[in-house]
Amino acid sequence: MKHAAVIGIGSYLPADVLTNADLERMVDTSDEWITSRTGIRQRHVVAEGEATSDLAARAAEVALADAGIAREKVDLLVLGTSTPDMLFPSTACLTQAKLGLTCPAYDVNAACTGFIFALQHAAAAIESGRARTVLVLGADALTRVVDFTDRGTCVLFGDGAGAFVLAASDEPGLMGIHLGSDGTGADLLSIPAGGSAAPCTPERLTARDNFLKMNGNEVFKFAVRAIPKVARQALKESGLTVDDVTWLVPHQANQRILDTIADRLGVPHERVVSIIEHTGNTSTASIPLAMDALYTAGKLAPGDVCAMVGFGAGLTWGAAVLRWTKKERS
Ligand code: UT7
C-alpha cells in the first residue's frame, strides 16, 4: 500500500491586523483580559473584497511552489472551511479556478477540525490508489461571521489559510488518523441563521442570528476532555506513544486549552506549537498555519513525529499523526 507524505506546505495571513487595543475601542474588553484568558494579542483580518478562496489560493501557491511539482500533477483538491465564499458552489471549486487547476475539488465542513477531516479524505484517496497527489487546504474568514458587538466571541477569531501537498510515497507520511463527531452538541457553537433551517429574514438579522454563537465554557471543557483521548487513539493506531511525539500541533483556540491539553498528555510545553498570540483562532486554518510556522522556522527534521489535534463545532474532534519526511523549503 502507498502512504501519503507531505511534499509541500504553505500558508497565508491577510495583511490587515486587528489588535487587542483596537478591540478595546469596539467592545467592553481589555488587552489584559484577552491576553490572560486566551493568549491572543492580535489577529489578521480579510480586506474588503477578499474571501476565503483568496486566502486558500495564496496558501496553495506557496505549498505548490514548495512541492516543486507541475500543477497538472494535482489530481484532487480537498478544502476544509466553515466560512465558504457562498453556500454554493464550493469554495474548493472557486479556489481551483483561481489556481488554474482542473482536478476534482470539494469542501469538507467539520468546523475547526476541518483540516484533520480533509487529511483523512486525502490520505484515503492516496492509500487506495485513487489519487497520487492531493492539495489539502484549510481556510477560514471567521471575522466575516463574528458578531463585533459580542465581547465573548469577537476577541477570539482571525482569518487565514494553510496548505499541504500530499503525494504517494513508500514511507509514511500520515499514519494514524482518528476522528469523532457528536451532533447532540450542535447548539454549543453554531451560526443559527442563513441556512435551510432558518433563512435570513429581517427579524433574524435584527436578532443577529446570522453571526456565530458560542457557549465558550462548555466548548472549553469538551476540548480538554476530547483532545488528549483522541491524540492517544491516533498515536496508538500509529504504533506510537506520547513519548514519541516531537511536536504537538493543536488547533489554536485558546492558550489555556493548549496548556491543559499538554499537561493532560504529559507533553512538555516547549514541544507544543503555539502561534495564537499573533493569529487568534483561525478555525480550519490554524493547524496548517501552525505546521507552516514550525517548518518556516526550520524546526522540522526528517523523522520528527507531529501529532496534529483539532476540535470544533459539530461537535467534531480529531487527531492525525504525521512522520515528517521532507527536508527544507524548496
Ligand atoms: O475553535 C473552537 C471554538 N472555541 C473555543 O475553543 C473557545 C473555548 N472557550 C474559551 O476559550 C473560553 O471559554 C473563553 C475565552 C471564550 C471565555 O473565557 P472564560 O475564562 O471561560 O470566561 P467566561 O466566559 O467564564 O467569562 C468570565 C467573565 C464573565 O464576566 P462575569 O460574569 O464573571 O462578570 C464574562 O462576561 O469574563 C467576561 N468576559 C469578558 N470580559 C472582558 C467575557 N468575554 C470578555 C471579554 N472582555 N472579551
Side-chain angles (χ1 to χ4, degrees), residues 29 33 37 112 151 189 214 216-217 251 253-254 256 281 311:
T29 192
W33 192 96
R37 297 288 182 123
C112 301
R151 70 176 183 172
L189 179 50
M214 179 173 70
N217 289 308
H251 167 48
N254 183 326
R256 289 188 295 135
N281 179 345
F311 60 92

Side-chain angles (χ1 to χ4, degrees), residues 6-13 53-69 71 74 95 98-99 101 135-137 161-165 288-289 291-293 295-296 326 328-330:
V6 176
I7 62 162
I9 185 164
S11 68
Y12 177 73
L13 290 165
S53 64
D54 297 305
L55 308 182
R58 297 289 288 266
E61 299 272 7
V62 179
L64 288 166
D66 184 40
I69 52 155
R71 295 193 176 201
V74 178
T95 305
K98 284 175 182 167
L99 291 169
L101 299 177
L135 180 58
V136 189
L137 305 174
F164 280 9
V165 180
L289 272 165
M291 282 293 298
D292 194 39
Y295 179 49
T296 303
K326 195 173 154 51
E328 56 200 23
R329 193 177 290 288
S330 318

Side-chain angles (χ1 to χ4, degrees), residues 105-325:
Y106 58 89
D107 286 0
V108 170
N109 181 349
C112 301
T113 327
F115 193 73
I116 306 291
F117 277 68
L119 283 178
Q120 158 95 318
H121 281 241
I126 289 172
E127 287 162 7
S128 65
R130 289 179 187 272
R132 286 194 60 81
T133 310
V134 186
L135 180 58
V136 189
L137 305 174
D140 263 311
L142 261 287
T143 64
R144 289 276 199 248
V145 295
V146 155
D147 183 351
F148 278 101
T149 67
D150 174 13
R151 70 176 183 172
T153 54
C154 75
V155 302
L156 302 175
F157 296 98
D159 305 331
F164 280 9
V165 180
L166 295 180
S169 157
D170 292 327
E171 302 290 327
L174 276 169
M175 302 168 80
I177 302 181
H178 203 92
L179 306 176
S181 302
D182 178 8
T184 64
D187 286 349
L188 295 179
L189 179 50
S190 69
I191 299 175
S196 61
C200 282
T201 58
E203 294 74 23
R204 289 186 179 121
L205 292 176
T206 303
R208 307 185 77 76
D209 281 347
N210 55 316
F211 291 118
L212 179 153
K213 314 277 180 202
M214 179 173 70
N215 181 334
N217 289 308
E218 288 303 316
V219 175
F220 193 112
K221 284 189 260 175
F222 146 69
V224 298
R225 214 173 36 237
I227 289 299
K229 193 171 167 203
V230 77
R232 284 200 179 88
Q233 281 164 320
L235 284 164
K236 192 173 175 204
E237 286 162 24
S238 309
L240 300 171
T241 71
V242 170
D243 293 339
D244 297 308
V245 173
T246 320
W247 296 107
L248 182 66
V249 191
H251 167 48
Q252 310 282 305
N254 183 326
Q255 186 60 45
R256 289 188 295 135
I257 295 180
L258 270 60
D259 293 342
T260 309
I261 290 169
D263 291 343
R264 291 192 177 182
L265 277 168
V267 175
H269 287 207
E270 61 272 18
R271 293 270 159 214
V272 182
V273 184
S274 176
I275 58 167
I276 193 167
E277 183 179 350
H278 307 291
T279 62
N281 179 345
T282 55
S283 190
T284 323
S286 85
I287 290 172
L289 272 165
M291 282 293 298
D292 194 39
L294 204 54
Y295 179 49
T296 303
K299 292 182 175 171
L300 279 175
D304 282 357
V305 171
C306 301
M308 300 175 278
V309 291
F311 60 92
L315 297 167
T316 58
W317 60 96
V321 177
L322 173 71
R323 191 174 285 283
W324 189 254
T325 47

